[in-house]
Amino acid sequence: MSRLDSYIRRMQAQKLCLDQAARMIGRRPGPVLELGFGNGRTYDHLREHFPGRAIYVFDRQLNPHPDCIPPADLVRLGDFRETLPRFLDEAPEPAVLIHADIGTGDKIASLRLARDLTPTLVHLLAPGGLLTGDQPMNDAELEALPLPEGVQPDRYHLYRRKA
Amino acid sequence: MSRLDSYIRRMQAQKLCLDQAARMIGRRPGPVLELGFGNGRTYDHLREHFPGRAIYVFDRQLNPHPDCIPPADLVRLGDFRETLPRFLDEAPEPAVLIHADIGTGDKIASLRLARDLTPTLVHLLAPGGLLTGDQPMNDAELEALPLPEGVQPDRYHLYRRKA
Ligand SMILES: C[S@@+](CC[C@H](N)C(=O)[O-])C[C@H]1O[C@@H](n2cnc3c(N)ncnc32)[C@H](O)[C@@H]1O
Ligand code: NI
Ligand code: NI
C-alpha cells in the first residue's frame, strides 16, 4: 500500500466516522468542537453535516481556504493544552461531538498529546456525547463504540461519554 | 459535497488513473516523469506500481517525507516552463508515462500552464506513451482515452501519444 492509498483510507475513515457521528447525534442540540483545523476540509464537512450548530475551532494557527473561514468568536488559537482547559473555564454548553484530528509526523508525541487531553475532552462532552479522532483516547468515562464498516481499528477512533 | 468529499474523490481519481496507466504500460521499458511532487504521495504510488524504473521528479521545491526522497540525479528543480524544455534538450529516453498534477488554487493559471506545457510533454513521450493529470492537455498528437470507472470527466484526464 502506497502513501497515496494510505492517505485515501485515512480520509475515508474520517468521513465515515464523522457521518456516523452525525447520524447518531441527529437533532440533539449542542455545539461541535473541531480540534486541528489543518486545511479546513473536515471543518467544511462538519458544517455540512451539522448545519445550524456552533462549531468551535481549536488550532495553533489557522490558514483557512477562502470559502472556509470560521466565525472569529468560535475560534480558540493556541496550544490545545492551554486552550482546552481555558475553554472548560468558559463553562460552555456541553459538546455533542468533539473531533480531534491532532496527529503530527511524531507518532509518540501525538499519542502523548491525545492521552494528556482526554480528561479535559471528556469533561467538555455532554453525557452521551461523541468523541472521534485519529488517536486512541481511552478513559473510564468513555465507551469505545464499534467503528463504521470500512474503518480499520487502528486508523480512527470513536467513543461515547457514558451517561 | 464537502471539501473532504471532494478531496477524497480527487485522490481516488489520481489513484485509479495511475493504476490504469500501470496496467496499460505493463512491462514496456522507459522512464516515468512526475510533475508536481507535493507531499510525495503520488511519487510513492508510482514507485510501487512502476518498480525498477527511473522516475524523474519536477517541482519548484521538494519537501519530501523522510521515507520518500527521490535520487538526486532524477530531480529537476525549478519552474516547469524552464525545466521541461531543458530536460528535452538532455535527449532523455522517451517516457512511457508522464503524471502532471500541477493545479494550484488559481484555476485559470493552472489551465494556462497545462496548455503551455502540453507540446513539450508530447515530445517527451514515447509513441503510445501515456499522459495523465489534473488539467486538460489537448493536442493533435494526443488521443484522449476513456477514464477508469469511477473517475468523473472533469476531475482527471488521460491521453495517449499517437503512434
Ligand atoms: C492533521 S491536521 C488537521 C487536518 C484537518 N482535520 C483537515 O481536515 O484539514 C492537525 C492540526 O492540528 C494542529 N495541532 C497539532 N498539535 C497541536 C497543539 N498541541 N495545539 C494546537 N494545535 C495543534 C496542527 O496545527 C494542524 O493544523
Ligand atoms: Ni472525570
Ligand atoms: Ni509535435
Side-chain angles (χ1 to χ4, degrees), chain A residues 119 122-123 139 141 161:
Chain A
V122 168
H123 290 274
D139 189 281
E141 296 185 57
R161 182 172 186 184

Side-chain angles (χ1 to χ4, degrees), chain A residues 2-3 11-12 15 44-45, chain B residues 2-3 5 11 44-45:
Chain A
S2 71
R3 287 183 50 228
M11 283 189 308
Q12 284 174 324
K15 175 198 161 62
D44 186 55
H45 199 77
Chain B
S2 71
R3 287 182 51 228
D5 291 317
M11 282 186 311
D44 186 57
H45 199 76

Side-chain angles (χ1 to χ4, degrees), chain B residues 79-158:
Chain B
D79 191 302
F80 298 138
R81 293 174 192 277
E82 293 165 20
T83 55
L84 287 162
R86 202 178 296 149
F87 187 66
L88 196 51
D89 287 342
E90 292 184 38
E93 188 185 349
V96 289
L97 173 66
I98 300 176
H99 176 227
D101 183 17
I102 61 176
T104 60
D106 187 340
K107 186 66 192 154
I108 291 176
S110 304
L111 285 167
R112 179 177 295 132
L113 177 61
R115 185 204 62 193
D116 294 348
L117 295 177
T118 296
T120 305
L121 298 181
V122 168
H123 291 274
L124 286 166
L125 278 171
L130 301 178
L131 172 60
T132 189
D134 67 336
Q135 306 299 321
M137 290 173 286
N138 299 300
D139 188 280
E141 297 185 54
L142 293 175
E143 172 190 358
L145 298 182
L147 292 164
E149 177 133 4
V151 181
Q152 272 172 294
D154 52 333
R155 198 175 283 283
Y156 232 68
H157 306 85
L158 180 62

Side-chain angles (χ1 to χ4, degrees), chain A residues 5 19-20 33 41 56 67 103 108 111 120 124 135 154:
Chain A
D5 291 318
D19 291 355
Q20 167 97 313
L33 309 191
R41 287 187 193 105
Y56 289 87
D67 303 339
I108 291 176
L111 285 167
T120 305
L124 286 167
Q135 306 299 322
D154 52 332

Side-chain angles (χ1 to χ4, degrees), chain B residues 35-47:
Chain B
L35 275 52
F37 184 80
N39 280 292
R41 289 188 189 104
T42 53
Y43 174 74
D44 186 57
H45 199 76
L46 288 169
R47 285 197 307 184

Side-chain angles (χ1 to χ4, degrees), chain A residues 92-156:
Chain A
E93 190 185 347
V96 289
L97 173 67
I98 299 176
H99 176 227
D101 183 17
I102 61 175
T104 59
D106 186 340
K107 186 67 192 154
I108 291 176
S110 303
L111 285 167
R112 178 178 297 131
L113 178 62
R115 184 204 63 194
D116 294 348
L117 294 177
T118 297
T120 305
L121 298 182
V122 168
H123 290 274
L124 286 167
L125 277 172
L130 301 179
L131 172 61
T132 189
D134 67 337
Q135 306 299 322
M137 291 175 285
N138 300 300
D139 189 281
E141 296 185 57
L142 294 174
E143 172 189 357
L145 297 181
L147 291 165
E149 178 134 4
V151 182
Q152 273 172 292
D154 52 332
R155 197 174 284 283
Y156 233 66

